[in-house]
Amino acid sequence: MSKPLPILIASDHAGFELKESLMAHLIEKGHEIKDLGTDSSESTDYPDYAHKLSKKINKDNVGILVCGSGMGMSMTANKHKNIRAALCYSVKNAKLSRLHNDANVITLGERLISKNLAFKCINTFLNTKFESGRHLKRIKKI
């Protein structure tokens, strides 16, 4: 079995608690985590963290972004070249985001998803490989 990709993770204040829980969950599973902030639940601006993480994503890692809804992080991250950020709220769309869209960043909304479902989405996202084939030509058009 190949070594899992390192995971970059960041949140704003509204996603801080879920980010901390996700990090503990992933470290327990043996993943290498790089926390890019924020470091508290004091008010911050989500674009700052989405940009910071997106600039560091490459073929050798994946990213997790958390804010209140997940939407702001997703919109900001997707402004970056070669970022395919997917806002996930179910195990099925976490799986399809990787399988068909080769997503390299998952975004979650702390205010809209339970911790247990977030863990399941993250596990699915990390354990699903891009199907390639007919999907590759579509990815190249993005």
Side-chain angles (χ1 to χ4, degrees):
M1 186 168 120
S2 62
K3 184 178 178 186
L5 293 175
I7 301 166
L8 306 180
I9 191 168
S11 73
D12 68 356
H13 63 284
F16 176 71
E17 287 185 30
L18 181 56
K19 177 187 70 117
E20 294 295 302
S21 296
L22 289 169
M23 286 193 319
H25 171 77
L26 292 167
I27 290 168
E28 184 178 295
K29 291 190 164 288
H31 290 279
E32 177 186 337
I33 306 294
K34 173 74 174 160
D35 182 6
L36 300 175
T38 189
D39 299 324
S40 75
S41 57
E42 275 189 47
S43 185
T44 60
D45 297 330
Y46 65 84
D48 297 341
Y49 295 95
H51 289 309
K52 185 175 183 180
L53 182 138
S54 297
K55 289 175 183 175
K56 295 179 181 291
I57 292 292
N58 59 51
K59 65 179 178 56
D60 297 321
N61 57 32
V62 294
I64 299 170
L65 289 168
V66 188
C67 64
S69 69
M71 191 64 69
M73 289 290 203
S74 179
M75 292 183 341
T76 304
N78 280 317
K79 297 288 184 185
H80 290 261
K81 186 177 180 179
N82 298 319
I83 295 295
R84 290 172 309 283
L87 172 58
C88 294
Y89 46 84
S90 73
V91 171
K92 186 169 186 171
N93 82 335
K95 182 173 184 165
L96 290 172
S97 74
R98 294 282 291 147
L99 197 63
H100 292 179
N101 306 118
D102 197 21
N104 53 7
V105 175
I106 184 173
T107 69
L108 301 166
E110 181 174 322
R111 295 175 180 151
L112 303 174
I113 193 169
S114 71
K115 192 183 304 182
N116 187 46
L117 181 54
F119 290 167
K120 289 177 183 177
C121 287
I122 293 296
N123 293 340
T124 300
F125 185 85
L126 295 173
N127 291 311
T128 302
K129 302 293 181 220
F130 180 47
E131 195 172 59
S132 196
R134 70 185 190 277
H135 304 291
L136 183 57
K137 75 175 186 168
R138 296 170 186 151
I139 298 303
K140 289 180 178 182
K141 290 182 176 185
I142 297 176

